């Protein structure tokens, strides 16, 4: 039997539906925080090719190819508008400025974060996949190294995203903050594996080989 992408999709969707039906009565929504309460939607305007920043007080937030456009929620259905607003708020609470770019030539969160760090005037970047996986990176590190990795997207809530922004800003100021505390659930991987695979496939569909990073104007609507 020939294994095609269409077949893989159908299998993933069937498994995903079974998880949805099993968990519909036990799902718990992430606890919201006040800053994101007014973020009803998100509009990202592309302003052209992103350049390396010169400001030492900036942190670049690099988002994945489908973020905010082809996908608008994380794996736990947290709106991208809320995620972005919390990360920006965390950065600004530390007295720094956030700058948002889109990385189109990869769906790998480590690569996305590292590209953001290289564009940042402070050398610190945050990479966010559409499904929510996040990395804080530094431009002088290897791609597979990082400052902090948040691989379990289903366990990331708005408080965590805000704390990620704060820690990234602290690194940009030359501090050595304690890592952002996160929950751990050994069942998260098997529980969300099918959905994560499907979302990654959808993300990768929008990868554009050799595309340059794009500067974004962020509008919360």
């Amino acid at each position: 039997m020939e294994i095609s992408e269409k077949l893989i999709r159908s299998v993933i969707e069937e498994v995903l539906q079974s998880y949805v039906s099993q968990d519909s009565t036990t799902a718990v929504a992430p606890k919201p925080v006040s800053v994101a309460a007014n973020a009803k939607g998100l509009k990202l305007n592309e302003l052209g090719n992103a350049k390396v920043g010169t400001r030492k007080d900036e942190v670049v937030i690099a988002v994945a190819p489908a973020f905010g456009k082809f996908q608008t929620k994380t794996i736990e259905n947290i709106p991208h508008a809320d995620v972005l607003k919390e990360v920006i708020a965390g950065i600004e609470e530390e007295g720094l400025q956030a700058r948002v770019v889109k990385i189109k030539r990869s769906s790998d969160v480590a690569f996305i974060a590292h590209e953001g760090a290289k564009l940042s005037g402070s050398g610190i970047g945050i990479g966010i996949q559409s499904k929510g996986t996040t990395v804080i990176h530094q431009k002088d590190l290897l791609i597979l190294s990082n400052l902090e990795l948040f691989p379990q997207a289903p366990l990331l809530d708005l408080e965590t995203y805000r704390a990620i922004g704060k820690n990234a800003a602290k690194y940009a100021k030359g501090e050595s903050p304690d890592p952002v505390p996160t929950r751990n659930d050994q069942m998260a991987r098997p529980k969300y594996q099918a959905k994560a695979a499907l979302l990654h496939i959808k993300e990768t569909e929008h990868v554009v080989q050799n595309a340059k990073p794009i500067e974004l104007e962020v509008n919360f609507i």
Side-chain angles (χ1 to χ4, degrees):
M1 179 178 65
E2 182 180 356
I3 299 177
S4 64
E5 182 177 326
K6 184 177 181 180
L7 176 60
I8 294 173
R9 283 175 177 275
S10 65
V11 171
I12 290 175
E13 288 172 356
E14 285 182 15
V15 175
L16 179 57
Q17 286 300 319
S18 69
Y19 279 121
V20 170
S21 61
Q22 290 172 13
D23 297 337
S24 60
T25 60
T26 59
V28 177
K31 183 173 66 174
V33 289
S34 59
V35 171
N38 296 322
K40 303 302 182 183
L42 176 67
K43 185 176 182 181
L44 300 175
N45 296 324
E46 297 188 359
L47 301 179
N49 293 340
K51 297 180 180 180
V52 177
T54 57
R55 297 184 56 164
K56 299 298 183 183
D57 64 344
E58 74 172 7
V59 173
V60 167
I61 302 169
V63 298
F67 188 97
K69 185 175 182 181
F70 303 104
Q71 295 182 45
T72 59
K73 296 180 179 180
T74 70
I75 196 169
E76 264 294 272
N77 294 317
I78 303 175
H80 286 171
D82 290 2
V83 171
L84 202 54
K85 199 163 189 178
E86 289 302 326
V87 175
I88 291 172
I91 293 169
E92 292 180 346
E93 282 181 354
E94 292 297 320
L96 272 64
Q97 299 295 314
R99 179 174 153 226
V100 183
V101 303
K102 176 164 284 191
I103 306 300
K104 293 187 174 182
R105 62 193 182 106
S106 178
S107 58
D108 184 289
V109 70
F111 182 89
I112 292 166
H114 195 250
E115 285 290 290
K118 290 193 298 181
L119 290 168
S120 175
S122 69
I124 300 297
I126 301 170
I128 309 176
Q129 283 181 324
S130 295
K131 64 185 175 71
T133 306
T134 303
V135 171
I136 303 176
H137 224 312
Q138 182 174 308
K139 68 176 183 179
D140 297 328
L141 297 176
L142 297 175
I143 291 179
L144 295 182
S145 300
N146 57 71
L147 294 173
E148 294 188 49
L149 169 64
F150 307 89
Q152 290 191 309
L155 303 182
L156 301 182
D157 56 19
L158 292 176
E159 282 187 291
T160 303
Y161 284 114
R162 190 175 186 130
I164 289 170
K166 287 176 69 68
N167 261 23
K170 289 178 180 179
Y171 288 118
K173 292 191 292 185
E175 300 177 15
S176 299
D178 292 331
V180 174
T182 57
R183 294 176 292 151
N184 185 40
D185 182 358
Q186 294 182 347
M187 293 304 298
R189 182 177 178 84
K191 180 179 179 181
Y192 287 92
Q193 191 168 18
K195 187 174 182 180
L198 180 60
L199 292 176
H200 188 70
I201 289 172
K202 290 182 176 180
E203 183 96 84
T204 305
E205 285 176 347
H206 300 287
V207 169
V208 180
Q209 297 295 328
N210 301 317
K212 295 183 179 297
I214 301 296
E215 196 81 32
L216 295 179
E217 177 186 57
V218 180
N219 293 298
F220 297 106
I221 53 178

